[in-house]
Amino acid sequence: MSFITVDGIQLAYTDTGLGAPVVLLHGYPFNRSLWNEQVGALSNSYRVITPDLRGHGESDAVQGAATMNRMAQDVAELLDHLQISRAVIGGLSMGGYVALAFYKQFPSRVRALVLADTRAQADTEEGKQTRSQQAEKALAEGMAGIADAMLPKLLTPDTVSKRPEVVKRVRDMMLKTKPEGAAGALLGMAEREDQTELLSRITCPALILVGQDDPITPVQDSEKMNRDIRGSRLVVIENAAHVSNLERTEQFNEELTKFLKQSIS
Ligand code: MLT
């Protein structure tokens, strides 16, 4: 693990393997360890870069909203530091919001996009209010309540009852997130712009993955992105909810590897 100073704060990241660069951006309120199995599967053939987005993992948190645009700039500055001009940019959920914000600001730096369990729409007014309440709750009470409320939406009931190691992994990531980092991400997600219009302007290869039972970013959101992004490929992963890369690692990795082989050979 390494650190870089960006915008006055320290960001942690890992940079593993050699080959065409692939950046993987975790969701909220997780950290770069979300991608351990993908780093393992890809790093024999690719250079895989996994940052802890600001406020998460071992990266610093700042007060106030951590916007998706600012997180995308952090990623761009990390790539500058690593002397990488273009990369595959992938993200799960909030990481997908950041990937779309990155494409909007730096389209020529994106070789291909991977959008997992995410969506292009902004929050509704009601959604924004809920984010602000959750941000206050995280700051006042810490992460345990947030983690308990989120768990049943992140994993299928089958995973929750039969795979305690996956439940523990997801829960531990959430508990490790700093409350001020979680609050910043919540306020940043609430402020994010609607990227629906951007979709038809995406010209790079794009892979869209979604758990069939994802209640946070449902399959319809991915179908919409797939209709609007020219030439994209949609994969609906059965028996998975929101954290599809952890629930169905084998299928997720197989689709990701196939896509990378086809699109950036
Ligand atoms: C995430 O997994 O990043 C979040 O659940 C996304 C969201 O709340 O919109």
Side-chain angles (χ1 to χ4, degrees), residues 27-28 30 92-95 97 119 131 150 189 216 242:
Y28 156 88
F30 310 132
L92 183 133
S93 199
M94 180 183 76
Y97 307 158
R119 65 184 155 197
R131 299 267 196 216
M150 278 189 85
M189 286 192 282
I216 298 180
H242 190 57

Side-chain angles (χ1 to χ4, degrees), residues 10-256:
Q10 288 230 302
L11 294 184
Y13 66 95
T14 48
D15 179 2
T16 317
L18 294 174
V22 177
V23 178
L24 296 175
L25 305 172
H26 62 79
Y28 156 88
F30 310 132
N31 58 58
R32 66 183 195 282
S33 74
L34 175 74
W35 298 115
N36 284 353
E37 285 76 5
Q38 286 67 48
V39 173
L42 298 180
S43 57
N44 281 338
S45 313
Y46 301 96
R47 179 177 180 187
V48 190
I49 295 134
T50 52
D52 279 338
L53 295 168
R54 56 173 57 213
H56 295 77
E58 287 162 271
S59 292
D60 290 341
V62 287
Q63 280 198 338
T67 66
M68 303 300 102
N69 282 339
R70 181 60 252 182
M71 289 188 189
Q73 281 161 23
D74 292 344
V75 174
E77 288 184 43
L78 172 59
L79 292 183
D80 291 344
H81 172 77
L82 299 174
Q83 300 186 322
I84 294 170
S85 55
R86 289 180 84 213
V88 176
I89 306 287
L92 183 133
S93 199
M94 180 183 76
Y97 307 158
V98 177
L100 288 173
F102 187 97
Y103 189 93
K104 183 150 191 196
Q105 295 178 74
F106 313 105
S108 61
R109 300 192 75 168
V110 183
R111 203 157 168 198
L113 273 174
V114 180
L115 300 168
D117 297 281
T118 192
R119 65 184 155 197
Q121 308 95 286
D123 281 357
T124 59
E125 282 312 311
E126 192 190 341
K128 286 180 195 186
Q129 275 174 23
T130 308
R131 299 267 196 216
S132 138
Q133 288 157 5
Q134 284 176 341
E136 278 170 30
K137 187 175 161 72
L139 291 173
E141 299 169 19
M143 292 304 289
I146 301 249
D148 288 342
M150 278 189 85
L151 253 176
K153 298 187 203 151
L154 300 172
L155 303 169
T156 60
D158 203 49
T159 303
V160 171
S161 62
K162 297 196 188 128
R163 297 173 67 192
E165 73 293 351
V166 176
V167 176
K168 182 173 178 346
R169 170 110 174 257
V170 171
R171 194 175 155 75
D172 284 354
M173 275 193 290
M174 293 195 278
L175 294 181
K176 263 195 207 149
T177 303
K178 303 168 198 62
E180 59 275 25
L186 285 161
L187 300 174
M189 286 192 282
E191 268 185 35
R192 77 183 189 283
E193 47 190 298
D194 191 295
Q195 303 288 19
T196 310
E197 290 295 311
L198 175 74
L199 300 176
S200 60
R201 302 204 303 273
I202 293 176
T203 53
C204 67
L207 172 66
I208 301 165
L209 299 144
V210 64
Q212 187 174 35
D213 305 314
D214 183 345
I216 298 180
T217 51
V219 170
Q220 301 90 279
D221 292 345
S222 285
E223 287 172 345
K224 178 160 176 34
M225 290 194 291
N226 190 44
R227 277 196 300 276
D228 290 354
I229 303 177
R230 217 169 319 131
S232 57
R233 170 172 163 71
L234 170 65
V235 178
V236 178
I237 302 180
E238 283 179 20
N239 303 315
H242 190 57
V243 196
S244 59
N245 70 315
L246 280 188
E247 280 195 293
R248 297 290 154 221
T249 303
E250 209 174 304
Q251 190 188 349
F252 192 100
N253 288 354
E254 202 179 292
E255 293 292 346
L256 185 55

